[in-house]
Amino acid sequence: MNSKTLSGDAIRRFENAADYRKRFVIKEQIDKYFPNGKHFVNEAEIFSTLDTAKKKTANDPVRIREILAKSRRIETLQLDETADLLQVTDPDLLAEMGETALAIKKSVYDNRIVMFAPLYMSNLCVNRCTYCGFRCENDQQKRRMLSMDEVKQEIEVLAGKIGHKRLIAVYGEHPETSTDYIAETIQTAYRHIVESPKGTPVGIRRVNVNAAPLPIEDLRVLKKVGIGTFQVFQETYHRETYEKLHPAGTVKGDYNWRTTCFHRALEAGVDDVGLGVLYGLYDWQFEMLALLSHTHDLEKQFGIGPHTISMPRLEPASGTDLPETSPYLINDEIFKRIVLITRLSVPYTGIIVTCRERPESRNACIQYGITQMDASSNIAIKGYSDFESEGHQEKDRQQFVLSDTRTLEQMIAYLGKKDIITSFCTAGYRCGRTGGCIMDALKTGKEGKFCKINAVLTFREWLDDFASADTKAICEPVINRELAEIEKNLPLFSKTVKEHYDRICNGERDLFF
Ligand code: SAM
Ligand code: SF4
């Protein structure tokens, strides 16, 4: 089957379909998460906390060091603590905050960056988000949804030629591409095992999903087919701005339905959830405290905070000028500050910075404790199999424009030169180390040990299957140093690790702890 291309009318036809909206905005699956009828984002409290922090003496080293000590204990910060960090301007204190952020990242996640790739399955969308190239009234966008054969073709490039093991599958919101389609594409991606250039079997081992909020029953379906992280960006937590940018009458126009999407996911057993704000839509300091309130509420109601926090920033997109005209756009300095203070505020969480960012900005963020990056990314629908040259972009087939077009190999070599190991580990989720279980393991440093071992094993696989001689030369010392550290610091595991490692060197694949 070829991918389906729909006309503008066919897309818009669903816009006001009352049935579709009714099925997807279920009042009982919203209200139950607001005990006492109160929303967990308390705007008045956030504004007053920010006001108080601005009036205090900024740069008070005693107060700031107390807060940093709490972050080092891997405890989530309170709103007033994060608000105080936001006011720091003193270069020495800022440097101390940076060192602490990196030290926390190392203690929780060790010296590694996990790599993934986005796979856009469909750009059909019934919504009208004013900043997005996929919004239904944008006639400049060529619409299509991948058929299962096309999903396989994309996997052949992603897994077979580039060497990715972990995807974020991305979907517009549309009845044609809802839960059944999401489930089928996930299963197709998992089942399609292909050959690497060296003839070894390779495939996708973890499929995370970035899609619209779903009802509990639908999330159970995704849980059954092995969804990794369920990622939904709130875009903005500021209700008035949210309602302005997401018109009433659209499914996405319901603020409460979106803000409770992770409550439903956790109730459905999808316990790795990925939060995010689209920075540039509203005041960044407000957004940071609101995202922290969201984190507190998930911790309080489910004992599980965000598995990841993503840092998307508004980028140019077809048919909209908001990414150039929004009064809330942030510069690189502020972006780095957001990454740094997120690391300090929610110390156990994974932090994702994607190819939306320019290379210099992404490189700098590595120093502030990010844990996941994508590379060789192509976000055009069917972009991987249609365009041979990596880095090729088609504005009318993609949601926005990417700024970092480095290949996976270039990225790995860059990290290798900085002594950082690239990981393709997907073992946590396959061994049941998710949700509350992984949260405890991360806070106590146990997960870091498994991660270190699995990073070495999966990096060995990638180097043997995909790396050029030059990249290997850069990365062998990194992997050898990691092996030596395992031998020294994890003596109980060291013998089995060495056995697994040797088996991988001899061509076996997918061995993990
Ligand atoms: N359609 C679903 C939704 O909106 O939740 C799935 C995600 S959408 C395809 C992926 C994300 O891309 C959105 O949540 C939004 O944060 C981000 N996005 C949209 N337009 C963007 C732009 N111009 N620049 C950067 N990110 C953008
Ligand atoms: Fe559709 Fe998502 Fe884009 Fe909004 S952000 S228009 S819901 S794809």
Side-chain angles (χ1 to χ4, degrees):
M1 184 175 88
N2 283 327
S3 65
K4 216 180 251 188
T5 316
L6 296 190
S7 69
D9 277 353
I11 292 153
R12 274 191 286 268
R13 170 171 103 225
F14 295 104
E15 231 175 290
N16 294 312
D19 284 352
Y20 179 63
R21 195 164 179 280
K22 223 187 281 164
R23 172 161 144 54
F24 280 90
V25 182
I26 305 165
K27 197 168 173 325
E28 308 78 73
Q29 293 195 17
I30 297 173
D31 294 348
K32 65 194 280 194
Y33 303 118
F34 298 143
N36 314 320
K38 286 199 186 116
H39 199 289
F40 52 83
V41 176
N42 182 335
E43 294 194 1
E45 186 192 2
I46 292 175
F47 284 125
S48 91
T49 308
L50 284 171
D51 262 3
T52 309
K54 282 173 190 162
K55 282 181 198 144
K56 275 198 220 161
T57 324
N59 305 314
D60 171 356
V62 176
R63 164 79 173 152
I64 298 303
R65 283 180 192 139
E66 267 169 25
I67 300 170
L68 295 184
K70 191 171 174 190
S71 304
R72 277 183 194 271
R73 293 195 300 272
I74 319 297
E75 288 174 31
T76 310
L77 298 185
Q78 293 305 312
L79 296 189
D80 63 326
E81 293 165 332
T82 295
D84 285 352
L85 293 183
L86 289 170
Q87 311 315 317
V88 174
T89 50
D90 174 63
D92 291 340
L93 269 185
L94 280 172
E96 222 172 300
M97 284 163 61
E99 282 157 23
T100 309
L102 198 56
I104 292 168
K105 191 253 168 163
K106 283 197 176 149
S107 84
V108 180
Y109 288 94
D110 207 5
N111 186 32
R112 72 195 160 84
I113 295 280
V114 171
M115 280 291 165
F116 69 94
L119 174 52
Y120 274 68
M121 299 289 189
S122 160
N123 61 358
L124 274 49
C125 194
V126 292
N127 290 313
R128 296 197 218 127
C129 313
T130 44
Y131 44 83
C132 176
F134 289 176
R135 72 191 185 290
C136 66
E137 69 258 280
N138 181 15
D139 289 329
Q140 292 176 28
Q141 189 75 200
K142 291 180 190 149
R143 308 284 171 170
R144 65 197 293 181
M145 57 191 274
L146 294 184
S147 68
M148 295 311 130
D149 280 345
E150 289 170 336
V151 172
K152 288 182 194 162
Q153 287 169 35
E154 295 285 86
I155 300 297
E156 276 151 30
V157 179
L158 281 161
K161 294 196 172 142
I162 303 172
H164 277 295
K165 310 270 185 267
R166 178 189 279 254
L167 297 181
I168 177 83
V170 188
Y171 308 78
E173 179 163 23
H174 196 277
E176 297 261 347
T177 59
S178 199
T179 308
D180 291 346
Y181 177 78
I182 297 175
E184 196 183 355
T185 48
I186 293 175
Q187 284 177 308
T188 304
Y190 278 135
R191 287 176 184 159
H192 197 49
I193 303 299
V194 295
E195 269 192 7
S196 75
K198 299 284 159 57
T200 51
V202 287
I204 296 301
R205 300 174 185 164
R206 178 172 172 122
V207 182
N208 301 326
V209 167
N210 184 316
L214 292 169
I216 296 170
E217 306 72 40
D218 296 50
L219 288 155
R220 290 206 175 102
V221 173
L222 299 189
K223 165 85 182 163
K224 246 192 206 152
V225 298
I227 184 178
T229 306
F230 182 55
Q231 196 184 69
V232 178
F233 303 152
Q234 180 52 36
E235 325 298 13
T236 171
Y237 283 94
H238 186 247
R239 192 182 281 267
E240 189 189 325
T241 307
Y242 186 89
E243 286 168 0
K244 203 165 83 201
L245 300 176
H246 308 99
T250 59
V251 192
K252 191 152 168 183
D254 197 301
Y255 178 90
N256 288 350
W257 177 244
R258 198 165 181 90
T259 43
T260 48
C261 68
F262 299 125
H263 296 69
R264 288 188 294 280
L266 292 165
E267 186 160 339
V270 176
D271 51 8
D272 282 351
V273 294
L275 280 62
V277 159
L278 182 53
Y279 284 102
L281 298 179
Y282 188 64
D283 175 65
W284 61 280
Q285 299 202 2
F286 172 90
E287 303 287 20
M288 288 195 72
L289 292 201
L291 187 137
L292 189 56
S293 304
H294 199 168
T295 299
H296 290 159
D297 198 61
L298 296 175
E299 288 177 349
K300 189 164 123 203
Q301 294 204 41
F302 297 92
I304 299 175
H307 182 67
T308 53
I309 296 178
S310 295
M311 301 284 162
R313 159 155 77 148
L314 209 49
E315 298 295 335
S318 82
T320 171
D321 61 3
L322 193 74
E324 287 83 24
T325 57
S326 168
Y328 297 106
L329 297 178
I330 51 169
N331 63 28
D332 287 359
E333 274 316 301
I334 291 181
F335 186 75
K336 280 188 274 178
R337 190 81 62 95
I338 292 172
V339 172
L340 163 61
I341 297 178
T342 301
R343 167 55 63 223
L344 296 170
S345 299
V346 193
Y348 60 79
T349 199
I351 298 185
I352 304 177
V353 173
T354 68
C355 292
R356 287 176 179 86
E357 287 299 308
R358 285 177 305 101
E360 309 78 70
S361 167
R362 291 223 299 173
N363 294 349
C365 289
I366 295 169
Q367 293 311 311
Y368 294 118
I370 63 171
T371 55
Q372 293 192 31
M373 304 172 86
D374 55 333
S376 280
S377 295
N378 191 317
I379 59 169
I381 313 287
K382 204 166 171 297
Y384 293 105
S385 43
D386 275 0
F387 307 118
E388 295 227 321
S389 74
E390 291 191 48
H392 181 93
Q393 301 205 56
E394 295 268 306
K395 207 174 173 187
D396 60 2
R397 269 168 76 170
Q398 61 194 53
Q399 196 185 13
F400 48 83
V401 180
L402 294 181
S403 299
D404 189 349
T405 52
R406 280 176 288 182
T407 65
L408 179 60
E409 177 143 24
Q410 286 168 340
M411 202 66 235
I412 285 175
Y414 173 81
L415 294 174
K417 283 182 197 158
K418 302 259 164 223
D419 233 10
I420 296 171
I421 183 164
T422 297
S423 175
F424 293 92
C425 171
T426 55
Y429 131 85
R430 294 194 290 165
C431 299
R433 291 197 300 274
T434 60
C437 169
I438 200 171
M439 227 93 303
D440 291 340
L442 286 169
K443 287 178 188 169
T444 54
K446 282 188 206 130
E447 184 63 13
K449 295 190 178 72
F450 290 116
C451 293
K452 192 177 187 70
I453 296 170
N454 290 318
V456 167
L457 298 179
T458 54
F459 196 39
R460 182 73 270 156
E461 287 182 334
W462 190 87
L463 287 176
D464 287 353
D465 287 341
F466 298 97
S468 66
D470 285 352
T471 305
K472 268 191 174 173
I474 294 166
C475 296
E476 294 296 350
V478 179
I479 211 165
N480 288 335
R481 189 211 54 219
E482 293 286 320
L483 277 170
E485 280 180 17
I486 290 171
E487 201 177 333
K488 184 165 157 236
N489 301 330
L490 303 171
L492 280 181
F493 293 98
S494 151
K495 187 164 168 271
T496 326
V497 172
K498 191 72 183 68
E499 278 164 18
H500 278 46
Y501 186 84
D502 290 343
R503 281 164 62 191
I504 286 171
C505 293
N506 289 326
E508 262 189 80
R509 290 290 171 267
D510 206 10
L511 304 173
F512 55 86
F513 277 72

